[in-house]
């Protein structure tokens, strides 16, 4: 065992000698003499460097230069530092140190503080710093800068300071960002960063970082973790990600972003070009909405559970192509492509094709049922319904960009309206929106429409035209204007043209002008029975009893044709024609959408012997093929089988005509002779000789 003791003693002596040699070398190098050169070198790069403390040596755990109290600021504003650090340690290589040369290999920043601000004009305080650095880089060579020690102060071995950065470390860093124009603030705290092999042109190195982010748009702090591999091109003109993964979490919310590719530019003035593969996913998605403070609540628990995005990004800051583009929202997948433009005017080209999406699942839940309140709660009279406040149109926000959008899906359900294979083609030209095409299968029919919306002026102007063929009215009514009383069934075709203008929703409604044509071969209208109304008319004019039978609470109309005009909330049915069994119907009317009231004046003419097989008959031939007046009036909420009754005002006119007819038929020419004789006598009284 004696040899072990002697060997250990020898190693200890060697280590002591080496430690003494290093201490002698360090004592012989006064690194503080480099302080002015550090500051001058930074100034040449447009940076105001302030070293408040001395430059010393750190022996453990690694050999390093230690700088205390470091500040970096734009050279033009040295009193407004962007970066502060309590301590910066610069690791040096041992072998060059033996030749009394300092070669920096590693940089450690302890508690750095970075202050980034944007003024109300949108200018960041870092722009002066980056512009000065880029300007100097365009002039300087790619070799590392040399520090010349002033004559008379340098030793024979002091030659230069070399920088070959193998590792960068940041401990307990803090980055704050504020935007005065947008009134937003963000803070990155507890920043820890490790980056290996940051030598331009070298092999790829590992990068890892983590931090805690909080800000004005976040309801709670978010944890960031970054891991990946990156490499710098020669001259720091490119960055390769192989790959880089960023995970974001906060409580139950988690998201992952993965990037692979490169960013490069040919020169300091050349734009950065990127070619990246991006993949991002968040599952569940809903907690992120709470963190962002949206306060969004949805109807379905299955909504907002998963989101993913995968695409290839290629281009510059002026134009980026995202091809192919794959999106997934819960169970709905979309595929397509996109292009982002940022030239003279921002622009977007987007083409997407998707599966089935139920938009209703993402809408706010319906209001709570008032009947669910406790019975003992005092019942207060309901206040009068206030008019909804007009919503101004965001006309300014609708300008200043261009877009070409082409969307198509297998199925879309929104506001309980189901659209089959909907397709939307929309172009935007600096506030001028052109709906090139909107088509879909709608409740057994086909929808096709187009139009324009002009938001370039102080008031918007819009026009739309289109048609809907073969739609099932019962399903359409239930979706658009459900009513417990009035029911439509059958199929119909509708064509329309409409125009309006205004600066808010109330003006758009008030200025709405539309023309609508409706046609239907078979249509059922409930709870009205127009045949019963016809028989009531016959009973009145012929003084006959009304047939005793069960009258169904509906009317079947054949060959319906109607022309409708819309002015604001008023709907005028200017002409309606239809057949009801052996009855021909004509008429007009109005509908007040705001009050929910209707008023129609109809004329019913019997074209056969009886209104129907078990209906009523007309004994007097004069009442056949002659419109008899019927009036349907009331509220949509209270509509019923008794809403359509004989029109007493118009019946009086018919009664007078009938009495005149009977008098002429009874007295014949004698009545006319008496009338002519009376006329001659009246003329004689006023004749002058």
């Amino acid at each position: 065992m004696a040899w072990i003791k002697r060997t250990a003693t020898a190693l200890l002596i060697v280590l002591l000698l080496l430690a003494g040699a290093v201490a002698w070398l360090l004592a012989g190098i006064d690194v503080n003499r480099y302080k002015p050169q550090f500051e001058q070198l930074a100034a040449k790069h447009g940076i105001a460097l302030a070293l408040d403390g001395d430059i010393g040596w750190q022996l453990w755990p690694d050999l390093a230069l230690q700088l205390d109290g470091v500040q970096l600021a734009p050279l033009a504003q040295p009193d407004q530092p962007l970066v502060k650090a309590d301590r910066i340690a610069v690791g040096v290589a041992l072998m060059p140190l033996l030749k009394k040369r300092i070669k920096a290999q590693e940089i450690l920043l302890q508690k750095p503080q970075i202050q980034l601000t944007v003024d109300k004009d949108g200018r960041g305080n870092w722009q002066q710093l980056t512009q000065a650095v880029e300007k100097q880089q365009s002039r300087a060579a790619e070799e590392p800068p040399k520090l010349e020690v002033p004559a008379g102060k340098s030793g024979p071995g002091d030659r230069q300071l070399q920088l070959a950065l193998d590792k960068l470390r940041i401990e307990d860093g803090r980055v704050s960002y504020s935007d005065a124009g947008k009134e937003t603030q963000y803070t990155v705290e507890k920043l820890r960063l490790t980056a290996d092999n940051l030598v331009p042109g070298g092999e790829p190195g590992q990068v890892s970082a983590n931090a805690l982010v909080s800000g004005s748009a976040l309801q709670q702090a978010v944890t960031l973790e970054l891991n990946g591999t990156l490499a710098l091109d020669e001259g720091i003109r490119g960055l390769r990600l192989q790959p880089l993964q960023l995970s974001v979490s906060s409580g139950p919310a988690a998201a992952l972003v993965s990037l692979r590719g490169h960013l490069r530019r040919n020169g300091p003035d050349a734009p950065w070009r990127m070619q990246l593969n991006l993949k991002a996913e968040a599952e569940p998605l809903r907690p992120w909405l709470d963190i962002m403070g949206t306060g969004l609540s949805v109807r379905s628990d299955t909504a907002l559970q998963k989101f993913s995005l995968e695409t290839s990004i290629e281009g510059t800051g002026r134009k980026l192509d995202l091809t192919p583009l794959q999106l997934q929202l819960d169970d709905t997948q979309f595929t397509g492509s996109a292009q982002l433009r940022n030239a003279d005017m921002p622009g977007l080209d987007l083409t997407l094709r998707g599966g089935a999406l139920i938009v209703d699942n993402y809408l706010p839940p319906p209001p709570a049922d008032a009947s669910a309140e406790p019975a003992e709660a005092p019942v207060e009279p309901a206040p009068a319904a206030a008019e909804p406040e007009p919503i101004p149109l965001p006309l300014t926000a609708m300008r200043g960009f261009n877009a070409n959008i082409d969307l198509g899906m297998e199925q879309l359900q929104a506001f309980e309206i189901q659209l089959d294979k909907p397709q939307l083609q929309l172009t935007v030209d600096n506030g001028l929106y052109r709906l090139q095409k909107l088509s879909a299968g709608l409740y057994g029919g086909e929808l096709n429409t187009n139009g324009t919306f002009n938001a370039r002026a102080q008031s918007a102007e819009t026009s739309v035209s289109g048609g809907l063929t073969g739609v099932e009215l019962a399903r359409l009514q239930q979706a658009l204007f459900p009513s417990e009383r009035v029911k439509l069934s059958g199929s119909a075709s509708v064509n329309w043209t409409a125009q309006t203008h205004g600066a808010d929703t109330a003006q758009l409604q008030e200025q709405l002008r539309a023309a609508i044509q409706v046609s239907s071969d078979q249509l059922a209208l409930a709870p009205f029975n127009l045949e019963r109304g016809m028989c009531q008319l016959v009973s009145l004019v012929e003084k006959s009893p009304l047939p005793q039978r069960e009258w169904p609470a509906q009317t079947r109309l054949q060959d319906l044709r109607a022309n409708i005009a819309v002015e604001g909330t008023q709907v005028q049915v200017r002409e309606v024609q239809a057949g009801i069994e052996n009855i021909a119907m004509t008429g007009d009317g109005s509908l007040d959408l705001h009050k929910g009231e209707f008023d129609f004046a109809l004329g019913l003419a019997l074209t056969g012997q009886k209104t129907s097989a078990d209906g009523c008959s007309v004994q007097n031939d004069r009442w056949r093929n002659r419109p008899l007046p019927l009036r349907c009036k009331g509220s949509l909420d209270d509509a019923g089988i008794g809403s359509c009754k004989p029109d007493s005002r118009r019946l009086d006119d018919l009664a007078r005509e009938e009495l005149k007819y009977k008098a002429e038929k009874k007295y014949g020419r004698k009545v006319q002779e008496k009338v002519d004789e009376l006329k001659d006598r009246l003329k004689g009284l006023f004749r002058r000789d």
Side-chain angles (χ1 to χ4, degrees), residues 31 127 213 226 252 271 334 353 387 392 451 483 495 624 684 687:
V31 290
Q127 291 182 347
V213 181
L226 184 145
F334 300 86
R353 296 292 181 267
E387 292 288 338
S483 173
N495 294 307
R624 293 179 185 154
R687 183 180 303 165

Side-chain angles (χ1 to χ4, degrees), residues 637-657:
D637 295 333
D638 301 326
I641 194 170
S643 298
C644 296
K645 301 177 181 179
D647 192 341
S648 59
R649 298 174 304 174
R650 296 162 66 188
L651 278 176
D652 291 342
D653 296 336
L654 289 177
R656 284 192 291 269
E657 291 180 7

Side-chain angles (χ1 to χ4, degrees), residues 17-88:
L17 289 174
L18 287 175
V22 170
W24 174 80
L25 286 171
L26 298 181
I29 300 178
D30 183 11
V31 290
N32 281 287
R33 73 177 63 181
Y34 290 108
K35 184 185 293 188
Q37 281 72 29
F38 277 121
E39 295 174 350
Q40 293 173 11
L41 179 61
K44 291 181 179 179
H45 287 76
I47 302 173
L49 171 65
L51 300 174
D52 296 337
D54 291 334
I55 304 177
W57 289 105
Q58 173 184 293
L59 301 178
W60 184 262
D62 297 310
L63 187 62
L65 284 172
Q66 182 174 298
L67 294 81
D68 295 330
V70 182
Q71 295 187 18
L72 298 178
L75 192 61
Q77 299 173 327
D79 58 339
Q80 299 182 16
L82 275 71
V83 181
K84 295 180 180 180
D86 290 354
R87 176 175 298 175
I88 297 180

Side-chain angles (χ1 to χ4, degrees), residues 449-587:
T449 188
N450 57 74
T452 61
F453 184 89
N454 192 342
R456 292 176 174 177
Q458 297 300 317
S459 177
E461 295 183 0
T462 183
S463 63
V464 64
S465 62
L468 182 59
T469 59
V471 65
E472 297 178 19
L473 293 175
R475 298 169 62 188
L476 182 64
Q477 183 211 358
Q478 184 63 29
L480 294 181
F481 44 93
S483 173
E484 295 297 327
R485 305 289 295 174
V486 179
K487 302 290 185 180
L488 297 175
S489 60
S491 62
S493 297
V494 184
N495 294 307
W496 60 79
T497 59
Q499 302 85 31
T500 187
H501 63 274
D504 56 43
T505 53
Q507 292 179 8
L508 290 180
Q509 178 67 61
E510 182 182 353
Q511 300 299 328
L512 175 63
R513 301 293 182 269
I516 304 172
Q517 294 81 40
V518 181
S519 61
S520 175
D521 294 334
Q522 291 289 335
L523 183 147
L525 177 64
F528 311 105
N529 191 298
L530 298 181
E531 183 185 5
R532 176 177 180 272
M534 177 66 178
C535 289
Q536 285 180 315
L537 289 170
V538 173
S539 175
L540 285 174
V541 297
E542 292 197 337
K543 309 299 183 183
S544 60
L546 185 69
Q548 297 298 318
R549 53 166 289 193
E550 290 292 331
W551 299 97
Q554 72 169 6
T555 298
R556 292 192 173 275
L557 305 175
Q558 301 99 29
D559 297 326
L560 172 69
R561 302 291 182 269
N563 291 323
I564 304 171
V566 181
E567 297 183 0
T569 60
Q570 302 298 317
V571 178
Q572 300 291 331
V573 181
R574 294 178 175 172
E575 181 183 10
V576 59
Q577 297 178 355
I580 309 166
E581 294 290 344
N582 296 327
I583 304 171
M585 183 185 75
T586 59

